[in-house]
């Protein structure tokens, strides 16, 4: 609820990269940081943070794929991504450390908010997995026709 008693409009939050992956999706903050760890580029301090906090998330938040193996199935749920519920404040506040690691390695990330990010295919107390709504294709800009000059 807002200060005025209105329902919160931006009920879901996602942190994702700004560059599409080979499948055409924008990877989330955890996938991006896990990728840096796999590449072996994290400093010892970053690696400790990453390992400790990944373990914390594993303990405090269900893995949607473990609960519902179809959640991220590309045939059933193409492009499925995870969003935090705005009420998952304890989970969201830990993301800052991941964002710091990404920034230190030049990986841009953005926070997105939406009251309706897509078709929900999984939900628990902290998060949802959605198939994003299709974005309408933009029509190419047209040049206005100029009437022929009068003689």
């Amino acid at each position: 609820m807002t200060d005025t008693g209105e329902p919160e409009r931006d009920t879901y939050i996602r942190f994702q990269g700004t560059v599409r992956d080979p499948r055409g999706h924008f990877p989330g903050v955890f996938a991006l940081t896990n990728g840096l760890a796999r590449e072996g580029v994290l400093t010892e301090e970053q690696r400790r943070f990453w390992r400790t906090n990944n373990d914390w998330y594993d303990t405090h938040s269900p893995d949607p794929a473990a609960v519902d193996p179809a959640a991220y199935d590309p045939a059933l749920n193409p492009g499925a991504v995870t969003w935090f519920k705005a009420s998952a404040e304890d989970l969201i506040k830990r993301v800052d450390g991941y964002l710091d690691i990404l920034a230190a390695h030049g990986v841009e990330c953005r926070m997105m908010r939406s009251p309706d990010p897509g078709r929900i295919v999984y939900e628990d107390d902290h998060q949802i997995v959605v198939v994003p709504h299709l974005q309408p294709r933009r029509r190419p800009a047209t040049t206005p026709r100029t009437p022929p000059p009068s003689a």
Side-chain angles (χ1 to χ4, degrees):
M1 292 285 201
T2 64
D3 292 340
T4 62
E6 296 290 317
E8 181 70 49
R9 285 189 44 85
D10 297 328
T11 55
Y12 303 107
I13 299 170
R14 177 168 167 78
F15 299 88
Q16 69 180 29
T18 59
V19 177
R20 291 183 187 275
D21 67 15
R23 295 176 302 152
H25 306 124
F26 293 102
V29 65
F30 301 113
L32 291 168
T33 310
N34 291 346
L36 292 175
R38 276 191 306 277
E39 291 171 17
V41 298
L42 299 181
T43 66
E44 187 55 40
E45 181 181 342
Q46 291 169 339
R47 187 163 189 72
R48 261 193 315 276
F49 172 88
W50 167 76
R51 184 69 273 145
T52 299
N53 284 279
N54 276 10
D55 290 346
W56 185 90
Y57 278 103
D58 288 346
T59 302
H60 292 86
S61 179
D63 173 2
V67 176
D68 179 1
Y72 298 106
D73 183 302
L76 296 174
N77 300 311
V81 294
T82 307
W83 289 67
F84 288 112
K85 291 183 175 181
S87 59
E89 294 173 4
D90 287 348
L91 278 67
I92 294 168
K93 70 182 176 185
R94 287 180 172 260
V95 170
D96 284 345
Y98 289 87
L99 296 175
D100 291 342
I101 291 171
L102 293 172
H105 292 274
V107 179
E108 290 186 36
C109 211
R110 64 182 171 179
M111 181 179 78
M112 300 173 54
R113 294 177 174 270
S114 176
D116 181 18
R119 177 177 56 87
I120 297 174
V121 297
Y122 168 87
E123 181 171 6
D124 62 41
D125 290 342
H126 309 289
Q127 63 197 337
I128 59 173
V129 175
V130 303
V131 174
H133 294 299
L134 292 176
Q135 298 298 316
R137 292 187 183 261
R138 293 188 178 184
R139 293 172 49 183
T142 58
T143 306
R145 298 179 107 187
T146 306
S150 350

